[in-house]
Amino acid sequence: MKIGQAVKMAWRSIWGKKGRAVLTMLGIIIGIAAVMTIVSAMNGYTRKTMEQYEAMGSNQITISIWNYTYDEEGNMIAQDYFTPLYDYCNTIKEFVMGMTPTGNLSATVIYGTKNSNNMQPEWDEEGNMIGGSWGPSLYLGSDQYSICNNLTVAKGRDLSALDSQRYNQVCVMGAQAAKAFFDSADPVGKTLQVNGQSFLVVGVYAPRLSEESSSTNQMDNFIVFPYTSNRVLGGQTPTNFMARGRDSATLAEACSRIRGFLKGLVGENNFNVYTDEEWQQQQNAQMGMISLVLGGIAAISLLVGGIGIMNIMLVTVTERTREIGIRRAIGAERGSIITQFLIEAAMLCGIGGIFGILIGTGGSLLLGKVLFQMTIYPAPWITGCAFAFSVLLGIIFGLYPAVKAANLQPVEALRAE
């Protein structure tokens, strides 16, 4: 039997029982669509994360110190490690561009009728943020905060070393925070009330991402105060810091020197220093594990679909026993019988794979818009592998029914009703 003839016979068999064929293909359709959607969602998350890392700048070094002292009453006291660390980093400028604390403040910011505690974003019917804002994040920073976080001043000026030394009550706003409090007005020169204390806005940073992305991930929704403002606002002494290496070639040397300095300052086991690349690798490894787990769960649908294919092909063999007997009686070889049933099983799975790919592509586009505000198409290799795997699945699970059909004895098959 020619391959073309076998394909036509398989198509007639599938089309003749359309309802049964659709139900049989459901497992394949659901499995392929689920796997493609999961892989695309993971790729979208990776793209979004990389976009944010790139916006924040490269060669970042994160530093954490947990060496504490206690007062006479047993209360924990965080020492000021920033000043010696800042001074040291200024002596190795050939390796480190800047150094800043990364401490957060818990405070209420008020300007006129705007109150950070009452801010809420506005959403459209599809769940996309179209206006408003969450309350801004409040950070303590040095005069090198913008260097470490890849920020540029769009209006006014940046924080200066004198602001910290003189305990000036000033701040610089991110683009999204400035929009939330002042709309289109110029914030520079205006005064914010922060926990009842007056802070003068001296500058506004330019947005790091597009307006659409920034409005969603709130990356530019922050206000930075001189790190000495914690004495006025009641924040804790910073114990987490960020430095920025001059380039990727000297990043390892910068980390090594900082580790050596901290070892002498706070002891060997009282700090941690790692780069953004190490953090990204850890995060990618975690996402890879999650992808494998979710992919394994989705693959169960493919297994169930394959068992369904095998079951329906066994039913087909039973229904066409007399036809098989006639073909064997007039000289059909076992190989042609096997080929016919394998092609039918492969076509069933292949058609299911095509529908699964279409649904998976739609799911990828939908998840991309809802979760990441970007257009995500499944990679061509994912689409190709999905189709090839669906056809292979049909061949694997159709092999047993095909062999069973080929092994029927002509005399016994002709007696079948």
Side-chain angles (χ1 to χ4, degrees), residues 38-39 42 285-299:
I38 289 170
V39 172
M42 294 299 102
Q286 292 175 354
M287 293 308 300
M289 292 179 63
I290 294 173
S291 298
L292 287 176
V293 172
L294 294 177
I297 295 173

Side-chain angles (χ1 to χ4, degrees), residues 115-242:
N115 188 312
S116 61
N117 290 337
N118 300 328
M119 288 182 171
Q120 293 290 336
E122 300 171 7
W123 311 89
D124 61 15
E125 295 179 355
E126 297 179 353
N128 298 316
M129 184 176 169
I130 57 175
S133 176
W134 299 108
S137 300
L138 308 181
Y139 299 127
L140 295 173
S142 72
D143 58 302
Q144 298 170 357
Y145 184 89
S146 58
I147 296 175
C148 295
N149 289 277
N150 198 34
L151 291 162
T152 56
V153 176
K155 298 178 182 178
R157 67 172 178 85
D158 206 348
L159 295 178
S160 68
L162 289 177
D163 289 328
S164 299
Q165 294 171 9
R166 297 177 179 178
Y167 302 95
N168 292 340
Q169 295 186 195
V170 297
C171 63
V172 182
M173 306 184 76
Q176 186 66 24
K179 181 179 179 181
F181 279 95
F182 297 97
D183 296 320
S184 59
D186 187 357
V188 177
K190 305 294 193 303
T191 300
L192 299 175
Q193 296 297 317
V194 185
N195 279 3
Q197 300 289 329
S198 297
F199 278 79
L200 180 67
V201 179
V202 296
V204 178
Y205 293 120
R208 287 174 286 190
L209 294 176
S210 66
E211 184 176 350
E212 178 184 359
S213 298
S214 183
S215 65
T216 304
N217 63 43
Q218 298 289 285
M219 190 174 186
D220 294 307
N221 189 18
F222 64 91
I223 304 174
V224 184
F225 303 87
Y227 68 92
T228 51
S229 298
N230 65 332
R231 300 191 180 187
V232 177
L233 298 175
Q236 298 295 319
T237 300
T239 56
N240 295 305
F241 314 99
M242 179 187 296

Side-chain angles (χ1 to χ4, degrees), residues 341-369:
F341 281 92
L342 284 181
I343 288 176
E344 186 170 335
M347 284 185 65
L348 266 175
C349 283
I351 294 169
I354 291 173
F355 281 105
I357 289 169
L358 294 175
I359 295 173
T361 301
S364 300
L365 291 171
L366 180 62
L367 280 180
K369 287 294 184 184

